Amino acid sequence: MALFDENVTVAPARRPPLRRGVRAGYTALAVALVILATLSFLPTGYVIQQPGPVYNTLGVTTGADGEEIPLIQVEGAETFETTGALHLTTVQVVGNRERTPSWLELVGAWFDSSRAVVPLDSVFPAGQSTQQRSEQNAALMVDSQQEATAAALSQLGFDIDSRVQVYSVPEGSPAEGILEPDDVLLAADGEPLVDVDELREAIQRAEGEPVSLTVDRGGERREVEVTPTYSDADQTWQIGVTIISDYDFPIDVTIQLDNVGGPSAGMMFALGIIDTLTPDDLTGGEAVAGTGTITADGDVGPIGGIRQKLHGARDAGADVFLAPIENCDEVVGHVPSGLRVFAVDTLDDSLAALDALREGGDHDALPSCETP
């Protein structure tokens, strides 16, 4: 039994005062939390690049109706069953001009070797909206597919005819009201145009003076003039249109890949087309990944986000990665464990590497970023 005297008031014991160091620690923690909370709402001026989806050019993708279809479809020529995988790799960008990652997100990315924090302007140029960037990347993807098909078919001995075509004319560009989508550009300042590079060279030579263009619009030939403007960002003269190379192919090649933009899948598209049209498996049944732009002549060019693509390839189960030789400075010291990287400069280099891998040749003799 317990006895209580209700007339007695018991006061709780007083807590000892906090030591000065403890008070200072609590104050610093509170200030840090306020700063972090504030930073989470401030624009950062950066975006995050991280490994994106990986697609097997020899595999299937989902069509508009939700059905699975081959990523590469060919009509008008014999095709062959393939084994193994030729993976194209992508980079996913977290953030845009409308919404940049928070500082907390950036801190997490800084400590992750598979991700990179890059300035916003390097991905979304000043004055370019997210929609404009998406449209530009879509055009670059279409162009890369055309260039890849031309490179692959030329490699296989097909004759290819090419022409320079307007893909889009953004509002406010120097060519607005003068050129239209699907216009075929036949000549610049009287010189016939064979490819996009020749048009760019003609624009640079003009140094801001009007460029005379011979245009085929729906079968009607006409002469127009466009006055280039100077882009400080690119340090080039531009007529402000998106141009692609259009080709007359002897067979129909369709590449079905939605929600992916840019030109960096070109080399892997070309390899996928060649593998589809030849009886021997290029990979020997192995999983090979890679990246790189390509021209109709078979030249492989550098791309962005190579380190993120290396991690994406490793995570997809690839043992071998084909990288543009011009990206080697970004590759050395950043290859994930279990992945071997070979350097390529042309489509021929890529085919030679695959041939050596398939036939069990001397892999150490193949060019790599460490020993080009």
Side-chain angles (χ1 to χ4, degrees):
M1 174 181 287
L3 300 177
F4 297 93
D5 187 346
E6 59 185 16
N7 295 318
V8 176
T9 300
V10 179
R14 295 182 59 189
R15 293 183 180 180
L18 293 174
R19 290 175 301 186
R20 181 177 300 175
V22 176
R23 288 200 305 270
Y26 279 129
T27 301
L29 178 60
V31 171
L33 290 174
V34 171
I35 292 174
L36 286 174
T38 302
L39 286 176
S40 65
F41 293 101
L42 293 177
T44 61
Y46 296 91
V47 293
I48 298 170
Q49 291 181 333
Q50 62 188 26
V54 173
Y55 300 93
N56 179 14
T57 61
L58 305 178
V60 297
T61 187
T62 303
D65 57 1
E67 297 292 326
E68 285 192 341
I69 58 175
L71 193 148
I72 295 175
Q73 294 178 290
V74 177
E75 295 182 4
E78 185 179 6
T79 60
F80 301 88
E81 292 292 328
T82 59
T83 63
L86 286 168
H87 290 308
L88 68 86
T89 50
T90 68
V91 173
Q92 186 178 49
V93 178
V94 179
N96 52 43
R97 287 206 170 274
E98 288 72 37
R99 190 272 179 191
T100 57
S102 69
W103 286 101
L104 294 178
E105 291 174 299
L106 295 181
V107 170
W110 265 314
F111 291 96
D112 185 342
S113 61
S114 71
R115 298 194 288 171
V117 176
V118 298
L120 177 66
D121 287 343
S122 68
V123 180
F124 297 91
Q128 184 184 61
S129 67
T130 302
Q131 180 179 352
Q132 289 173 327
R133 179 180 181 273
S134 297
E135 291 174 352
Q136 181 185 49
N137 278 335
L140 291 172
M141 170 57 76
V142 172
D143 194 43
S144 75
Q145 294 175 359
Q146 293 281 300
E147 295 286 324
T149 303
L153 296 187
S154 296
Q155 180 75 30
L156 296 174
F158 290 94
D159 291 328
I160 309 297
D161 294 325
S162 66
R163 57 186 185 178
V164 179
Q165 181 174 316
V166 177
Y167 181 82
S168 65
V169 184
E171 183 179 350
S173 80
E176 184 181 15
I178 303 173
L179 295 176
E180 297 180 0
D182 297 328
D183 280 351
V184 176
L185 306 184
L186 304 175
D189 290 333
E191 296 294 327
L193 294 174
V194 176
D195 55 36
V196 176
D197 287 338
E198 290 184 349
L199 174 62
R200 294 194 182 106
E201 290 170 4
I203 294 171
Q204 301 316 303
R205 284 197 304 270
E207 296 184 335
E209 294 297 317
V211 177
S212 297
L213 298 173
T214 304
V215 178
D216 181 333
R217 181 174 299 165
E220 180 184 345
R221 190 184 182 101
R222 60 181 65 195
E223 301 290 333
V224 301
E225 280 192 349
V226 181
T227 302
T229 57
Y230 191 76
S231 169
D232 291 325
D234 299 326
Q235 296 186 337
T236 59
W237 293 98
Q238 300 179 359
I239 61 173
V241 298
T242 302
I243 302 292
I244 63 173
S245 295
D246 188 39
Y247 298 90
D248 290 325
F249 297 126
I251 62 176
D252 292 328
V253 178
T254 302
I255 299 175
Q256 179 69 44
L257 188 60
D258 295 330
N259 301 320
V260 177
S264 65
M267 181 185 71
M268 299 309 292
F269 283 146
L271 292 175
I273 293 168
I274 293 173
D275 206 355
T276 301
L277 289 169
T278 51
D280 295 330
D281 291 334
L282 291 186
T283 68
E286 301 298 323
V288 176
T291 187
T293 65
I294 200 164
T295 66
D297 295 331
D299 293 328
V300 174
I303 49 80
I306 185 72
R307 296 178 188 176
Q308 288 70 54
K309 292 179 179 180
L310 292 172
H311 283 274
R314 192 271 315 274
D315 294 343
D319 301 316
V320 172
F321 193 97
L322 304 178
I325 197 168
E326 293 181 60
N327 282 120
C328 275
D329 58 338
E330 302 172 76
V331 170
V332 174
H334 298 280
V335 180
S337 176
L339 189 67
R340 189 160 188 183
V341 180
F342 297 104
V344 298
D345 195 34
T346 65
L347 182 58
D348 283 336
D349 291 343
S350 301
L351 292 169
L354 292 176
D355 184 60
L357 293 169
R358 182 179 66 253
E359 300 297 333
D362 184 5
H363 298 178
D364 292 332
L366 293 173
S368 70
C369 286
E370 288 78 11
T371 56

